[in-house]
Amino acid sequence: MELNKIEETWGQRLSHEFSKPYFRSLSAFINKEYATREVYPKQDEIFRAFALCPFEKVKVVIIGQDPYHNHTQAHGLSFSVNEKLSLPPSLKNIYKELNADLGIPISKNGDLTRWASQGVLLLNSILTVRSGFANSHKAKGWEEFTSEAVRVLAMEKKNIVYILWGTYAQQKCSFISSESNLVLKSVHPSPLSAYRGFFGSHPFSQANDYLTFHHKQPIIW
């Protein structure tokens, strides 16, 4: 696993994790998986969320669970897929809520790089997955690593918008202070739950109102 692929400002804050037993075990597992299996995303995109959103630029955090496990979908950003691919159901619902919230036309392009480049950290809790097997890299160490990334962010920065969709994301970020940040919680945008509180939650306008209030450039969603 290419640790030098972690963006410098994040690497400075997370390098202490690399020597820990769990991370050494994780690295060995990931290296073997890429050598013997089809794994997503590409190796040089594992830490892409950090690369596109350096520490000092983070304004919004959106937490996902693990990468899409179908061919060519995942590219290192939560909820995002490579351009020209069909939109996954959850992303379709995210775009529907974005349209209802801010009137932005529903896009056919599922690549959310444009969000990441503006300061939206699109971080999956688990950064890799075996082709065709959702959650196949669960409990291998990624959760500990990404939790540390969020913990460091919460410790060093305030006035961040945390958009937490579903119980999984909300549990992972349970330590985030709602006094010094905006914490937006709703059910997951999955078709199984979106109609139970995701639709109508207005996360995008609330995020931009908060950023504007704190003299930060709003996100062009």
Side-chain angles (χ1 to χ4, degrees):
M1 189 159 54
E2 301 178 56
L3 299 180
N4 62 343
K5 293 293 185 181
I6 300 180
E7 188 275 332
E8 182 180 2
T9 60
W10 282 104
Q12 292 169 352
R13 292 168 171 85
L14 296 173
S15 60
H16 59 277
E17 296 296 295
F18 302 158
S19 60
K20 292 183 178 180
Y22 90 87
F23 198 90
R24 292 200 299 268
S25 176
L26 170 65
S27 295
F29 170 77
I30 293 301
N31 289 336
K32 183 177 181 181
E33 282 286 283
Y34 274 98
T36 60
R37 307 280 186 171
E38 187 170 3
V39 177
Y40 306 130
K42 297 175 183 177
Q43 283 200 66
D44 62 0
E45 293 180 331
I46 292 176
F47 301 110
R48 191 162 179 256
F50 300 115
L52 292 176
C53 193
F55 187 88
E56 297 302 331
K57 293 187 177 181
V58 178
K59 296 188 285 189
V60 179
V61 178
I62 299 178
I63 300 290
Q65 188 161 342
D66 70 332
Y68 296 118
H69 57 86
N70 292 329
H71 183 63
T72 73
Q73 281 185 309
H75 62 159
L77 303 176
S78 62
F79 295 101
S80 180
V81 293
N82 279 303
E83 190 176 0
K84 298 181 180 178
L85 295 182
S86 298
L87 300 182
S90 291
L91 185 53
K92 283 183 181 179
N93 286 340
I94 290 170
Y95 279 169
K96 286 180 182 177
E97 176 59 19
L98 179 58
N99 172 256
D101 188 6
L102 292 175
I104 296 174
I106 296 176
S107 177
K108 294 182 179 180
N109 178 9
D111 184 351
L112 302 180
T113 298
R114 64 192 184 279
W115 293 5
S117 63
Q118 297 177 74
V120 182
L121 181 64
L122 295 165
L123 184 64
N124 278 315
S125 178
I126 303 163
L127 298 186
T128 55
V129 68
R130 187 183 294 181
S131 176
F133 295 91
N135 259 339
S136 50
H137 289 180
K138 179 181 179 181
K140 300 298 183 181
W142 279 132
E143 296 93 334
E144 186 170 346
F145 179 74
T146 54
S147 289
E148 178 63 8
V150 177
R151 188 193 69 79
V152 169
L153 183 66
M155 183 175 62
E156 292 194 28
K157 297 191 71 172
K158 62 180 182 179
N159 299 332
I160 302 294
V161 181
Y162 292 88
I163 300 178
L164 307 178
W165 291 326
T167 303
Y168 187 89
Q170 290 163 24
Q171 290 175 341
K172 187 176 185 68
C173 299
S174 59
F175 55 86
I176 301 297
S177 169
S178 58
E179 294 182 2
S180 54
N181 303 280
L182 177 62
V183 181
L184 301 175
K185 299 179 181 180
S186 80
V187 298
H188 196 275
S190 161
L192 297 175
S193 57
Y195 287 94
R196 292 190 281 109
F198 174 74
F199 290 131
S201 60
H202 306 290
F204 307 103
S205 60
Q206 289 190 73
N208 278 356
D209 288 347
Y210 184 83
L211 293 174
T212 300
F213 180 80
H214 288 282
H215 310 291
K216 297 181 180 183
Q217 191 71 24
I219 305 299
I220 301 173
W221 300 103

